[in-house]
């Protein structure tokens, strides 16, 4: 049996509490608060306390889906991203906007604003924490 606590950042909001994922034989089995972190100081809200549950939840989406005749069908990443690119290509910069998420990491949010400004050629990018 191999057990370790892996330090990471809670994914649920922009507060950025730190927590330990309890890993048993390469499977995440629980969450512990991190006493040393200056924000969370050994505490987690209810979302942080259950931050591991979505990882193995039965309803978690792991593959892309495309709606065909009103029904979702499993698709390849190439097909799903190709459809997104095709749909985005139908609109100009003044018709497009992007909304990012506090549940994503800083790096993901940086990429979203970069994609929006460089590829979609619009500054209409925002973040759910401001809504
Ligand atoms: S533990 Fe709660 S307050 Fe802290 S980052 Fe997670 S969701 Fe936000």
């Amino acid at each position: 049996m191999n057990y370790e606590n892996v330090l990471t950042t809670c994914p649920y909001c922009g507060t950025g509490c730190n927590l330990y994922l309890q890993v048993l034989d390469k499977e995440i089995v629980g969450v512990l608060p991190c006493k040393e972190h200056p924000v969370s100081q050994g505490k987690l809200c209810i979302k942080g306390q259950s931050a591991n549950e979505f990882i193995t939840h039965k309803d978690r989406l792991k593959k892309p889906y495309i709606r065909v005749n009103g029904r979702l069908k499993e698709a390849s990443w190439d097909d799903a991203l190709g459809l997104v690119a095709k749909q985005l290509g139908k609109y100009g910069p003044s018709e497009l906007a992007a909304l990012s998420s506090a549940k994503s990491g800083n790096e993901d949010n940086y990429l979203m604003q970069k994609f929006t400004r460089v590829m979609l050629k619009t500054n209409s990018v925002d973040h759910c924490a401001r809504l």
Side-chain angles (χ1 to χ4, degrees), residues 6-121:
V6 178
L7 184 63
T8 188
T9 306
C10 176
Y12 276 120
C13 87
T15 303
C17 298
N18 271 194
L19 51 82
Y20 291 100
L21 292 173
Q22 297 176 285
V23 182
L24 179 64
D25 291 336
K26 297 185 179 179
E27 185 177 333
I28 299 169
V29 295
V31 167
L32 292 172
C34 173
K35 279 186 182 172
E36 300 79 28
H37 192 257
V39 173
S40 42
Q41 298 178 352
K43 300 176 215 105
L44 295 171
C45 77
I46 189 66
K47 291 191 292 184
Q49 291 174 33
S50 58
N52 64 312
E53 293 178 2
F54 73 88
I55 296 168
T56 54
H57 195 280
K58 66 177 178 55
D59 293 337
R60 182 176 181 183
L61 292 178
K62 296 177 181 172
K63 298 173 184 167
Y65 288 81
I66 293 176
R67 191 175 303 279
V68 179
N69 298 326
R71 298 187 70 94
L72 290 173
K73 289 195 163 189
E74 194 175 307
S76 69
W77 281 106
D78 282 348
D79 287 348
L81 292 173
L83 178 62
V84 170
K86 183 178 168 191
Q87 294 296 329
L88 287 176
K90 293 179 179 177
Y91 302 94
S94 65
E95 300 167 296
L96 295 169
L99 182 63
S100 196
S101 170
K103 292 177 181 141
S104 299
N106 284 341
E107 294 81 0
D108 297 330
N109 281 308
Y110 174 82
L111 288 174
M112 175 59 97
Q113 68 82 27
K114 202 70 173 173
F115 171 78
T116 305
R117 294 179 205 281
V118 175
M119 300 305 293
L120 302 182
K121 300 185 183 337

